[in-house]
Amino acid sequence: MKQTLKILKVAFQAINKNRTRSILTMLGIIIGVAAVIMTISAGEGATMQVQNQISGLGTNLLMIQTKSEHKAGINVRMGKPIYKKDFEILQKNAIYMPNLSPLLAIGAQAIGPDGYKSTMVYGVSYDYFYITSREIQLGSFFSDEDVKTARKFCVIGQTIREELFPGQDPIGKQIRIDKVPFTVVGLLKEEGSGGMGQDMDDIVLAPYTTIQNRIFGNRKRGYNMILASALSEDHIVDAKIEATELLRESHKIKANDEDDFEIMTQIELQEITSNITGILTLLLGAIASISLIVGGIGIMNIMLVSVTERTREIGTRLAIGARESDILTQFLIEAVVLSLAGGVLGVVLGVIGNQIIYKATNFYIPTAAYSILIGFGFATLVGIVFGYFPARKAAKLNPIDALRYE
């Protein structure tokens, strides 16, 4: 024990003797640990936002769309489109889905009296607002009657208001979408950024019948999807089974044939997004870990220089009875201490960095406890691995050759 304390004392004295060099050596580890903590924590924050965004849609959401496969980087449609007759069959016969809304999506330019904005325009029914829990700040939603008669009404998000009607009340005013005039009847409450960074207020909602007839000019065009809400969370499986049976009948699918449509529940959507953000977090953490390896190489280089500078000291210690294991332990401790000190400072920098990002961007980044353990553990491992070679070189020096070294 006494011998170990003596070796520790000598190691700390050597580090303290060259404080500037020691700090510069630790810099790679500090940056590496901070980068690992910040990237993993950012991934956790993104996952939380995605989950919160999906949860905001309610726990009984279903999305019904044409079956597709991902090929060569694009989604290829593998089944029949979802048509009006499918919607009507669901609307007429569904017991477990009281609220249904077609969804037609198109990217278009919205033009107002004071500006224009490229945005997404969604054709929906009145039930859409209930299904997605979107709330109105000014005006009102368009009604079922407006949908049936294909009125040129729309509800806009806060971003559209700021671009087209800065500082004004937009209710009753007109915007043009693909040369078609729409009257603004409602302004949505601000919702902010979605889980994947998209602006949830950069949106225009209009009756799907109007979008189908006036924008697409094709009443027989299929829908992008149908949104539905189950009676309750407990009935979401029943609703999915019911929708599957009704659509198979509508599409005349034989008993042994696969569905040509997909029905995704909110729980399944959460699982998919969690997997995606988990992979991204792992990837970012792995990239950040490269800087720790670079820091480890820096420690190895400096320790090799230290061994060369202290060759005569090593020779003297070996000559008066020090064992190879004592020399090995001393230099290994020096490398590990440098890594651990860099790890501690890196943890502090990472936590502070998360707070700075939160204050600057309002993007909440929870400092994940496991990210600290990963960063600190990796720093320790780097110190041992990259410190062993210089320490072994020092321990294997010939005492006579070391004493002759100039």
Side-chain angles (χ1 to χ4, degrees):
M1 184 66 182
K2 188 175 181 182
Q3 183 69 13
T4 304
L5 291 173
K6 187 176 180 180
I7 292 172
L8 282 169
K9 182 180 178 182
V10 172
F12 276 106
Q13 285 174 343
I15 293 171
N16 190 53
K17 186 178 179 180
N18 298 287
R19 274 175 285 186
T20 303
R21 187 167 72 182
S22 297
I23 291 171
L24 291 173
T25 304
M26 289 188 292
L27 200 57
I29 299 296
I30 293 170
I31 294 171
V33 171
V36 168
I37 290 172
M38 291 174 70
T39 50
I40 292 177
S41 297
E44 287 291 312
T47 301
M48 284 179 61
Q49 281 211 0
V50 169
Q51 298 294 351
N52 291 338
Q53 195 70 43
I54 295 171
S55 297
L57 298 175
T59 55
N60 55 348
L61 173 71
L62 295 98
M63 289 167 286
I64 305 165
Q65 58 189 351
T66 303
K67 189 173 184 178
S68 62
E69 287 186 7
H70 200 66
K71 293 183 178 180
I74 59 172
N75 282 324
V76 180
R77 182 180 289 173
M78 305 298 291
K80 291 181 180 178
I82 303 296
Y83 286 115
K84 181 181 179 181
K85 70 179 182 67
D86 299 317
F87 173 66
E88 289 175 342
I89 286 172
L90 291 173
Q91 197 174 39
K92 182 179 179 180
N93 299 290
I95 299 170
Y96 295 106
M97 295 178 292
N99 300 102
L100 292 146
S101 173
L103 189 141
L104 286 162
I106 183 172
Q109 195 170 72
I111 303 172
D114 295 311
Y116 60 90
K117 178 81 170 65
S118 295
T119 186
M120 286 302 297
V121 180
Y122 295 101
V124 297
S125 73
Y126 176 78
D127 281 357
Y128 171 88
F129 302 105
Y130 179 84
I131 295 167
T132 60
S133 304
R134 292 300 302 252
E135 297 180 17
I136 282 287
Q137 179 174 319
L138 293 174
S140 63
F141 300 126
F142 44 80
S143 66
D144 278 329
E145 187 61 30
D146 297 328
V147 175
K148 289 176 183 176
T149 56
R151 299 288 297 274
K152 290 181 284 186
F153 288 164
C154 70
V155 176
I156 63 174
Q158 293 286 348
T159 301
I160 303 299
R161 175 200 187 178
E162 290 167 7
E163 292 288 336
L164 306 188
F165 306 101
Q168 303 174 44
D169 181 350
I171 306 304
K173 295 181 179 177
Q174 283 197 342
I175 62 173
R176 298 184 73 85
I177 299 171
D178 197 20
K179 300 180 181 179
V180 179
F182 283 79
T183 301
V184 179
V185 295
L187 174 68
L188 295 169
K189 281 188 178 179
E190 187 173 358
E191 198 157 305
S193 297
M196 303 303 286
Q198 73 274 25
D199 185 356
M200 301 299 290
D201 300 308
D202 185 6
I203 186 173
V204 176
L205 301 170
Y208 72 91
T209 47
T210 311
I211 298 298
Q212 197 170 34
N213 299 344
R214 302 303 299 269
I215 303 297
F216 288 112
N218 182 2
R219 296 187 181 187
K220 296 182 179 180
R221 187 186 187 279
Y223 306 138
N224 293 80
M225 68 171 64
I226 294 175
L227 296 178
S229 61
L231 279 173
S232 67
E233 187 178 357
D234 296 333
H235 289 100
I236 196 163
V237 175
D238 296 323
K240 184 173 181 178
I241 293 170
E242 180 181 60
T244 301
E245 292 175 350
L246 290 171
L247 286 175
R248 284 183 66 88
E249 184 181 342
S250 175
H251 290 194
K252 296 180 173 58
I253 300 172
K254 295 178 181 178
N256 296 326
D257 291 344
E258 292 185 358
D259 297 338
D260 61 0
F261 55 87
E262 295 174 327
I263 302 177
M264 187 179 295
T265 66
Q266 189 215 22
I267 296 168
E268 292 168 341
L269 183 60
Q270 283 182 322
E271 289 175 355
I272 292 169
T273 52
S274 291
N275 290 337
I276 293 170
T277 52
I279 291 169
L280 289 174
T281 300
L282 184 64
L283 180 63
L284 290 171
I287 293 171
S289 298
I290 294 173
S291 58
L292 277 173
I293 295 173
V294 173
I297 294 171
I299 287 178
M300 184 172 67
N301 288 337
I302 293 301
M303 292 306 298
L304 286 170
V305 171
S306 180
V307 169
T308 303
E309 290 177 346
R310 295 159 63 185
T311 299
R312 287 179 65 84
E313 175 196 326
I314 296 166
T316 302
R317 291 191 62 198
L318 289 170
I320 61 176
R323 295 169 298 179
E324 285 188 8
S325 60
D326 295 332
I327 304 299
L328 178 71
T329 303
Q330 178 190 332
F331 279 88
L332 194 57
I333 286 173
E334 287 183 27
V336 172
V337 167
L338 285 171
S339 288
L340 290 178
V344 171
L345 293 173
V347 168
V348 174
L349 180 62
V351 172
I352 293 173
N354 285 344
Q355 294 302 312
I356 290 173
I357 292 174
Y358 174 60
K359 296 292 184 184
T361 65
N362 206 32
F363 175 66
Y364 178 62
I365 302 179
T367 302
Y370 76 90
S371 69
I372 294 176
L373 292 175
I374 291 173
F376 199 73
F378 208 104
T380 306
L381 184 64
V382 162
I384 294 171
V385 172
F386 287 93
Y388 179 77
F389 177 71
R392 188 173 181 276
K393 181 182 178 183
K396 291 294 181 181
L397 286 174
N398 186 300
I400 297 174
D401 293 336
L403 288 169
R404 287 176 179 172
Y405 182 79
E406 296 293 337

